[in-house]
Amino acid sequence: MKDDTSIYQNFNVLGIDVGGTFTDLIYVDKENNTIEFAKVPTSPENQAFGVMDAINKAKLKLNHVKLIVHGTTTTTNALLERKLSKTGMITTKGFKDVIELGRRTRPNSYGMHGKFVPIISRDLRFEVNERVDASGDVITVLDEIEVKKTAEELLKLGCESVVIHFLHSYANNNHELRAFEIISDFWPNNYITMGHSLLSENREYERGVTASINASVQPILEKYLRKLENELSIAKYKNELLVMNGNGGTISSRMVVNEAAKTVMSGPASGVIAAAHTGKSSGINNLITYDMGGTSTDVALIIGNQPSVSSDLEVEYGMPVHVPMVDVRTVGAGGGSVAKLNLAGLLEVGPESVGSVPGPICYGLGGTVPTISDANLLLGRLNISKIISDINRVSVDDIKNIFHNKLSKDLFMDEIKTAEAVIKIANTKMAGAIRMVSISLGVDPRDFTLFAFGGAGPLHASSLAKELGIPKVLIPARPGITNALGCVVADLRQDFTKTLNLPIDNLNIQNLHSLFNDQEKKGIELIKKQGLELTNISSSFSIDMQFIGQTHILRIDLPNSYPDLEYLQKSFEKSYLNRFKVKLSEIKANIVNVNTTVQGHKVPFDISLLNNKLDKLLNLNDALLEYRKVYFKDKFLNTPIYSRDRMPFEFEIKGPAIIEQMDTTTLIEPEDRVYGDNLGNMFIEVGDL
């Protein structure tokens, strides 16, 4: 496409991300070169109300906004809470139990019992006569009369959505397409998902579960978006609404419901996209992102400014979502995570969370159980006068009493030691998540910078860096609204996957080149269909490969869409050696999946805009608010407290120190050194490694 950035000179964009506890907003007014922020509690009854609350708090006039980009947890929450639409499945005769049988794994490493509930219950899974083999040859012709009768029966049973999931439809999709035509004639809505249309790859279990997830969340997502669009319309917004997908790209709200499963994990993905953008602006290419919010902690890996994207993620046990998503790992450790004693009398933290209502005790909104935030407050790391509610004030003594009654007396520890133990346990869980995206994949975290954000991330970042041997931490200018920033900077994106499952010696290289070209053409058409002005459209290509006889695959990134066979073989062998430190030259390679990503690029966001309200001429003394007793390493230290909004861009402080701002608090431990750059970012060089 033609590169024309002039159209963006008066382009005002609003990014809104809904988290488990807070809804964050960032508004960029390029016409006046200004920026606005807002942070409000997430509305538990309907996320749309929280979105409108944030807009009202920022006092925005939506008739001046040209684009809204929205990250939502609607589909993720529906899955995790199993609040799904009633969905039926029509599948190949003899295969209705595939999505329940799954793989030979267990939800728990130890014990004889486990709990697993399939997405679609067995009484709503029906079989019809049809069969296609792995080569795409028809073994049994589709019984069209049976398809119609089965779909009519599902309607009588109250199903709102239906999945068409036939064996080997990735090799020959004609039966699924015909079944779709038959059902569409009388199905009362558009909630009909064909397995191959969402995921055209082998492995019927993963394809079936992914299609089931898509169908079961389609009505939920559409009802939410229509509600939000109506609220926005009442507020005089008439332009495009984009929705974040889990792959880190955005798509029009008019198109997103068709592939609703792709919105799973959209919120965490937006934070990773913002981290990559910030790292690139700061000259840092390799990051481990660490997003600690109120409910959970999300971590991901960025190499060469490119977030790691995977199609092999599970939202929870037995729930694979095999569509491209930013490879985010989540643990139940957020500011609102509950600290409790288990049946053995041992201290545990999370995964239960108090959410935004009633929230931690220190919020003063009626919380009655100890949380990570309450532990940080007892250690002096949070300023109670800045986070407490004016409605129902509580004191530090009130929090100590609850810690004593619920934890300390049974642990035979005082309240401060108990709070310290809560923080240590939470940090251990979060460090484990970081190891999952780094060490477990053969990557050394010591070669990366820890990018800490979220409302609680900067409080724990230095301790995590020490635990993992990471020498430097990057704290962005606005850590608590980084996910909303990701909505602003994210590009449009379409991903395509097609299974070949051929030994490399049997591959017709011209067919591979044609497949890449077809996928690229389709992606460009879909992106142009959304009608947004873009600077350019780019494409990237990759192949999933394995050695013949193996199960797991490695993704090989390609420089273009026309590789030769020798390049594919050598690239795979090199990647396999780097990953597993083993060379298997005697075994042939196998081409499993062919992947294409097409992105429509917006003008890069200027990170310095995040600080346009700050006075760069201030000096460090202007930012010093007070001194406060803060607990470090078994003792309280008299610690300077700074206001980040009053600090100069370029400064240097030796720990201990605390830096407060509207959306987060940053903890600088003793022996750490913190300094700022000319973009408003802070860097912590951790001591005692």
Side-chain angles (χ1 to χ4, degrees), residues 379-392:
L379 298 178
R381 299 173 179 182
L382 291 177
N383 187 340
I384 193 168
S385 66
K386 292 189 176 181
I387 63 174
I388 199 168
S389 165
D390 291 327
I391 301 172
N392 182 22

Side-chain angles (χ1 to χ4, degrees), residues 380-432:
R381 299 173 179 182
L382 291 177
N383 187 340
I384 193 168
S385 66
K386 292 189 176 181
I387 63 174
I388 199 168
S389 165
D390 291 327
I391 301 172
N392 182 22
R393 287 193 171 275
V394 296
S395 66
V396 173
D397 287 338
D398 294 329
I399 299 171
K400 279 187 176 181
N401 288 336
I402 293 176
F403 264 69
H404 174 78
N405 293 329
K406 292 187 178 291
L407 301 175
S408 300
K409 69 178 182 181
D410 293 320
L411 293 172
F412 302 103
M413 299 165 59
D414 65 34
E415 291 74 37
I416 299 302
K417 285 292 185 182
T418 301
E420 183 184 34
V422 169
I423 299 301
K424 286 182 177 179
I425 291 173
N427 287 346
T428 299
K429 291 181 68 173
M430 292 183 286

Side-chain angles (χ1 to χ4, degrees), residues 10 17 31 70 103 140 234 243 324 351 354 378 410 565 620:
N10 296 318
D17 177 75
E31 183 177 4
H70 178 34
R103 300 293 175 190
T140 302
I234 293 173
V243 179
V354 293
L378 289 183
D410 293 320
L565 294 176
L620 201 56

Side-chain angles (χ1 to χ4, degrees), residues 1-9 533-536 603:
M1 288 186 71
K2 181 182 178 182
D3 188 349
D4 181 6
T5 60
S6 63
I7 57 173
Y8 280 88
Q9 296 308 307
E533 294 285 355
L534 303 166
T535 60
N536 70 294
V603 170

Side-chain angles (χ1 to χ4, degrees), residues 617-651:
L617 301 179
L618 292 170
N619 61 58
L620 201 56
N621 291 332
D622 296 322
L624 182 62
L625 299 175
E626 61 176 337
Y627 282 84
R628 188 167 71 228
K629 296 292 184 181
V630 181
Y631 195 80
F632 296 99
K633 297 181 180 179
D634 301 324
K635 60 183 177 182
F636 280 96
L637 299 178
N638 200 32
T639 303
I641 313 298
Y642 294 92
S643 167
R644 188 171 185 181
D645 289 344
R646 297 169 63 180
M647 297 174 75
F649 275 24
E650 298 184 27
F651 67 91

